[in-house]
Amino acid sequence: MKLKGMVPPIGTPINADETVDEKGLRKLVNHLIDGGVNGIFVNGSMGCFALLTDAEQIRAVEIVADEVNGRVPVVAGISDTGTKRVIKKTKIIEKFQIDFVTAVVPYFFRLTQAQGKRFFQEVANASQKPVLIYNNPYLTPLDFEISTLLELAEEPNIVGLKDSNQDFNRLTGLFEAFRGKEDFTIMLGTELLIPQGLMMGADGAIGGAHNISPKFAAELYQAHLAGDYETSFARSRDLAKICNIFQYGAIWGGFEAALQLLGICEKTVFEPYAVASAEDKEKVREILIDCGLLNNAKGQAE
C-alpha cells in the first residue's frame, strides 16, 4: 500500500482533565471520512501529541484505528524525546489496526544529520509497520538534507516522507532527486501550496485545516487527478480562508471554536493554551459562514 491523497492530522478532542474524549474523537473520524479524505494521521502536531500523556497518545491511536476500521489508511504518530521511547511506543501500538507509523526526530536537543539518520534507521528496524519520515524543521532541531533523505529511502522499511519545509526551491530539488522512485511517498506538510506541490510530484498533503473542511481538501485532490487545475486552485483558496481561523485564539482556541461550531466536539485546547474569547469565536463563526460551512441564518453546520 502506498499512502497518497489528503490525510488530515486529526485533532484530539479532550475532556476537562485532558484525557481523550472518545465520543468526540470518533465523531471527528467520521466527519473526516464522510468528507472524502484518503487517510487519517493520529498524534500529529494538530493533535497536540506532545501535550498528551503517553497513555492517552496510545488510547488515541486505539480509538482512531477502531473507528476507522479499515476504511482508510491510518498513520500513527509515535514521536518522543528519545529513540528508545519511540520504539517502546511503536511496540505498543502495533497491535492496533494501523498501516504506517511516523515520527519527528527526538525534539529539544540539537541533532546532526548522522544522528537523525541513525534514529530513523533504528526505528525502522524495530517496527513491524512501514515507517514514514516526518521532517518538521519548524518544531524540531533538525531539517533533513535531501542527500540524507535519499539514503534513508534505501532502508527497506522506510516507505515515505512528510515534509513540512515550505522552501519551494528545496522542494524542487527534493522532487527531482526522488524522480523515478514511484514506490516512495512524498506528502506535503504545508497547507497553502498543495496544488503547486501536487503538480510538482507530491503524492498528497497533510494539513490541519482539513479537519474543518475535509470536503474541500478531497475535492482539491480529485480535481488535480482529473486535470481540473482551475477547481484544484479554487479549493486551495477555500482552504486558505479556513486557515484564517488560526489567527484567533492563538491557533488552538480558533481550532477548538471551529469544531464546537460544527458540532463535532467541545474541547481541544490543552493547558497552558487558552480557549478563544467570545469575540474571537465570533470571528471564527464568520469565517465558517463565509466558507459555506455554517448556515448563515441559524449558525448551524451545513
Side-chain angles (χ1 to χ4, degrees):
M1 176 193 300
K2 180 176 180 177
L3 187 69
K4 54 187 176 181
M6 301 293 105
V7 183
I10 191 169
T12 307
I14 54 173
N15 301 307
D17 62 356
E18 297 191 356
T19 57
V20 175
D21 168 13
E22 180 173 348
K23 181 179 178 181
L25 184 54
R26 289 182 183 276
K27 191 168 185 178
L28 184 52
V29 165
N30 287 301
H31 169 69
L32 296 177
I33 294 177
D34 291 346
V37 302
N38 306 101
I40 294 179
F41 171 21
V42 55
N43 287 341
S45 300
M46 206 72 230
C48 292
F49 75 89
L51 302 179
L52 285 164
T53 65
D54 288 355
E56 291 303 303
Q57 286 185 37
I58 291 163
R59 185 161 168 260
V61 174
E62 181 178 13
I63 292 167
V64 169
D66 180 68
E67 190 63 29
V68 170
N69 194 27
R71 288 180 287 172
V72 296
V74 174
V75 181
I78 52 172
S79 301
D80 216 309
T81 52
T83 305
K84 298 296 184 186
R85 292 176 62 84
V86 170
I87 290 174
K88 180 180 179 181
K89 206 175 287 182
T90 305
K91 294 301 182 184
I92 296 171
I93 67 168
E94 284 176 343
K95 63 186 177 183
F96 304 134
Q97 192 175 352
I98 62 173
D99 300 279
F100 305 91
V101 296
T102 189
V104 292
V105 293
Y107 38 91
F108 188 78
F109 292 113
R110 296 290 175 187
L111 295 171
T112 65
Q113 293 289 314
Q115 290 164 341
K117 176 183 173 183
R118 189 165 68 249
F119 165 74
F120 273 109
Q121 288 173 326
E122 291 179 3
V123 171
N125 287 335
S127 175
Q128 294 181 16
K129 300 292 183 178
V131 174
L132 300 169
I133 301 164
Y134 183 175
N135 185 49
N136 191 330
Y138 307 106
L139 297 176
T140 67
L142 180 66
D143 188 6
F144 276 106
E145 295 172 358
I146 294 173
S147 59
T148 305
L149 294 172
L150 283 169
E151 292 172 1
L152 283 171
E154 296 301 317
E155 297 290 326
N157 201 31
I158 295 179
V159 299
L161 162 71
K162 176 197 173 184
D163 203 321
S164 294
N165 190 320
Q166 298 179 23
D167 182 339
F168 248 58
N169 288 327
R170 179 183 183 279
L171 284 172
T172 299
L174 178 69
F175 292 127
E176 185 60 32
F178 278 87
R179 189 178 302 279
K181 298 181 183 296
E182 301 300 331
D183 292 336
F184 192 85
T185 293
I186 298 180
M187 302 290 285
L188 293 169
T190 174
E191 304 211 43
L192 303 180
L193 299 169
I194 295 174
Q196 299 93 323
L198 291 173
M199 293 172 75
M200 293 173 71
D203 293 292
I206 297 175
H210 302 172
N211 282 273
I212 308 304
S213 182
K215 184 172 181 288
F216 287 167
E219 288 176 352
L220 186 163
Y221 182 62
Q222 291 302 319
H224 168 78
L225 293 179
D228 182 0
Y229 303 122
E230 182 178 352
T231 298
S232 178
F233 276 93
R235 289 297 166 269
S236 180
R237 290 190 291 272
D238 290 334
L239 289 169
K241 290 180 182 178
I242 293 172
C243 284
N244 288 330
I245 68 170
F246 300 130
Q247 297 179 24
Y248 302 100
I251 298 177
W252 305 115
F255 182 59
E256 178 184 86
L259 292 174
Q260 289 173 348
L261 290 163
L262 292 171
I264 295 170
C265 66
E266 285 301 312
K267 183 173 176 59
T268 59
V269 173
F270 291 77
E271 292 289 348
Y273 302 99
V275 301
S277 66
E279 293 79 9
D280 280 355
K281 188 170 182 178
E282 188 56 35
K283 293 292 186 182
V284 171
R285 184 193 303 274
E286 291 171 4
I287 290 169
L288 296 180
I289 290 173
D290 182 57
C291 291
L293 301 180
L294 283 181
N295 183 290
N296 193 13
K298 300 180 181 179
Q300 296 176 341
E302 291 288 349

